[in-house]
Amino acid sequence: ALIRAELAMVLVSGGLKGKQVTYMAFDARVPTGAGFDRQAALRRLAIAYFTSHGPATIADFAWWSGLTQADAKAGLALAGDALEPVAAGLWAGAGAPDGALSAPCMHVLPNYDELVVGHQDRGAAIAPGAPLRNSGRDGLVFSHLVTRDGRALGTWRRELGARGAKVALQGAPALSGAERAGLEAEVARFAAFLGTPAVLC
């Protein structure tokens, strides 16, 4: 009955009261939106997707959003000069940086990260020579990825011990001093999240 009421927009989940789940009237919890028309919505979604996930294809956009190919193309056309082609069939937000960074931008990402989940063809997310496969049902989506400048180099795993955690790299190539320093900064952030010491190994 509660699920039906939520689907009918009569009730919604409220805040926790101690450990107890509460419910509220939909109209009291959800503010009335200003709304916008369908074309404005397609334009806004296209700009948001290609700016945050580009370079990407129209097929990527359609797959990620659930739109038809026709609606995905319409959204791209409506975006106008907010988006720009960066290669054959690939689009990104206008003014996206395309030069080399002054220092390598390193990250340790969780599985199901948008870097790979946001695209059908994940080849552009893999660094040249990285020991990672780009196929529809491989482990790329399920892997914890090590990235440099937005492209996957290899994978990592967490090892918990009595004295803290270790972040163990797997399959990544030898790192330069700057790359290792960047990863060590990321591991420090991960340690703060875990609330326990963590080291890169």
Side-chain angles (χ1 to χ4, degrees):
L2 286 173
I3 292 175
R4 282 199 208 98
E6 289 192 84
L7 291 173
M9 294 188 294
V10 175
L11 293 177
V12 293
S13 298
L16 288 174
K17 190 172 184 180
K19 294 184 178 180
Q20 183 66 47
V21 175
T22 66
Y23 291 88
M24 293 180 67
F26 182 90
D27 291 338
R29 179 81 166 171
V30 181
T32 302
F36 40 73
D37 64 26
R38 193 166 190 282
Q39 286 196 323
L42 288 173
R43 179 180 189 277
R44 182 175 173 182
L45 187 60
I47 293 171
Y49 174 78
F50 286 103
T51 299
S52 61
H53 291 74
T57 66
I58 290 174
D60 286 332
F61 176 41
W63 175 82
W64 177 86
S65 64
L67 294 172
T68 64
Q69 288 281 330
D71 280 343
K73 289 176 182 177
L76 182 63
L78 289 163
D81 59 8
L83 302 177
E84 62 186 13
V86 294
L90 292 171
W91 296 79
D98 55 8
L101 299 173
S102 58
C105 182
M106 307 299 292
H107 289 288
V108 287
L109 302 179
N111 54 348
Y112 295 101
D113 190 82
E114 279 288 306
L115 176 70
V116 290
V117 172
H119 302 83
Q120 269 188 311
D121 181 354
R122 301 176 178 107
I126 301 173
L132 299 167
R133 293 180 300 114
N134 175 36
S135 60
R137 294 186 179 274
D138 68 7
L140 195 60
V141 170
F142 308 109
S143 299
H144 296 71
L145 298 175
V146 177
T147 69
R148 179 188 60 220
D149 301 340
R151 302 184 82 178
L153 293 174
T155 61
W156 65 278
R157 72 178 188 278
R158 180 190 68 177
E159 299 175 354
L160 289 176
R163 296 185 179 180
K166 293 180 181 179
V167 172
L169 302 185
Q170 299 174 300
L175 301 174
S176 69
E179 289 168 342
R180 187 167 184 87
L183 277 184
E184 286 173 344
E186 282 295 289
V187 170
R189 291 178 60 219
F190 186 47
F193 171 77
L194 291 175
T196 189
V199 295
L200 178 66
C201 58

